[in-house]
């Protein structure tokens, strides 16, 4: 079962470009830190501990994020949260982690314009490029 999530935060590091084993399609992995401000007992606003989200981006968005975004950049993510599992190489124990998946079928990823301005240039579609 998957849960739809939407959040905005900052890239913890530059997105890493990978390719699938089956069909050599590009995908990006990254961590997005979401900082929350809370009011303490004295009424002052302070930063809470950031929440880290592991994100995998597939399809054309993967190359756009890899080419356009770097460490610390503001970004928003809308995707499906899934739990990945695998056996630990040393112990054989089952390991898991939650990952937010964005692909061409569902989800969106983009830059957050809350604290920055940007000029967006649309890349030509594959049919238009030829």
């Amino acid at each position: 079962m998957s849960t739809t999530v939407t959040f905005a935060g900052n890239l913890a590091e530059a997105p890493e470009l990978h390719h699938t084993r089956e069909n050599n399609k590009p995908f990006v992995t990254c961590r997005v830190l979401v900082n929350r401000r809370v009011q303490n007992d004295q009424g002052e606003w302070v930063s809470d501990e950031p929440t880290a989200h592991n994100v995998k981006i597939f399809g054309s968005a993967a190359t756009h994020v890899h080419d356009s975004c770097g460490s610390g950049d503001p970004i928003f993510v809308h995707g499906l949260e899934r739990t990945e599992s695998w056996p630990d190489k040393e112990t054989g124990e089952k390991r898991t982690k939650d990952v937010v998946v964005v692909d061409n079928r569902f989800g969106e990823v983009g830059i957050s314009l809350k604290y920055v301005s940007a000029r967006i240039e649309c890349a030509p579609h594959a049919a238009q490029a030829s």
Side-chain angles (χ1 to χ4, degrees), residues 76-117:
F76 78 87
V77 177
H78 176 72
L80 296 174
E81 186 174 39
R82 297 198 175 129
T83 301
E84 293 184 344
S85 62
W86 66 95
D88 186 281
K89 289 180 182 178
E90 294 178 13
T91 65
E93 292 181 31
K94 183 178 177 181
R95 308 283 294 177
T96 63
K97 76 174 175 178
D98 291 332
V99 177
V100 177
V101 177
V102 177
D103 61 25
N104 288 337
R105 293 172 287 145
F106 183 85
E108 294 288 331
V109 64
I111 60 169
S112 171
L113 298 177
K114 186 173 182 180
Y115 299 109
V116 299
S117 62

Side-chain angles (χ1 to χ4, degrees), residues 19-38:
H19 290 84
T20 60
R21 290 182 189 150
E22 308 85 51
N23 51 16
N24 204 32
K25 297 281 184 180
F27 72 96
V28 163
T29 58
C30 57
R31 280 187 325 126
V32 178
L33 299 177
V34 177
N35 295 309
R36 199 174 75 125
R37 307 250 317 143
V38 294

Side-chain angles (χ1 to χ4, degrees), residues 2-54:
S2 300
T3 302
T4 303
V5 295
T6 304
F7 54 89
N10 296 79
L11 288 169
E13 61 271 325
E16 295 180 26
L17 184 63
H18 308 276
H19 290 84
T20 60
R21 290 182 189 150
E22 308 85 51
N23 51 16
N24 204 32
K25 297 281 184 180
F27 72 96
V28 163
T29 58
C30 57
R31 280 187 325 126
V32 178
L33 299 177
V34 177
N35 295 309
R36 199 174 75 125
R37 307 250 317 143
V38 294
Q39 209 167 14
N40 65 16
D41 294 338
Q42 292 76 33
E44 302 167 327
W45 288 96
V46 295
S47 292
D48 197 9
E49 197 65 32
T51 303
H53 296 278
N54 296 303

